[in-house]
Amino acid sequence: MKIFLWIVIFLATFSVMEFMAWFTHKYVMHGFLWSLHKDHHKKDHDSWFERNDTFFIFYAVVSMSLIMIANNTYFWYGWPLGFGILAYGIAYFVVHD
């Protein structure tokens, strides 16, 4: 049963991340954090790193934190949550960037 819940939580997290990406892009990136996101739309820099990449770093920290908490406590569902976010991040990077 725990494996079934693990898979359901992982898939649900992966799916919810699509909504989070849309919501964050519309209301945060094109809203109050436009200063970080605008270089994604207009390449006015020579660096491979964009200020927009801070959003990736934020979600990576959330994912790693959930996995580390799950590893060190009884918060077992941190594993599928963290890996669901990670899997979405990988899929997003491959498809979008």
Side-chain angles (χ1 to χ4, degrees), residues 4-66:
F4 176 74
L5 285 174
W6 205 101
I7 293 169
V8 168
I9 293 169
F10 173 86
L11 293 174
T13 301
F14 186 89
S15 299
V16 168
M17 284 304 295
E18 178 63 24
F19 167 77
M20 289 302 299
W22 169 83
F23 181 86
T24 303
H25 186 255
K26 183 170 182 158
Y27 295 107
V28 176
M29 293 179 186
H30 283 262
F32 65 94
L33 289 180
W34 173 248
S35 61
L36 294 176
H37 182 61
K38 66 183 170 186
D39 67 346
H40 177 70
H41 291 280
K42 184 174 191 282
K43 307 291 186 215
D44 60 353
H45 55 83
D46 294 327
S47 174
W48 60 271
F49 184 81
E50 297 178 343
R51 290 181 300 276
N52 183 63
D53 293 335
T54 54
F55 296 105
F56 154 75
I57 293 168
F58 170 77
Y59 283 114
V61 168
V62 171
S63 175
M64 290 185 303
S65 297
L66 287 165

Side-chain angles (χ1 to χ4, degrees), residues 61-72 75 78-84 86:
V61 168
V62 171
S63 175
M64 290 185 303
S65 297
L66 287 165
I67 293 168
M68 288 171 43
I69 290 168
N71 193 42
N72 296 314
F75 184 69
W79 286 97
L81 289 169
F83 282 117
L86 172 66

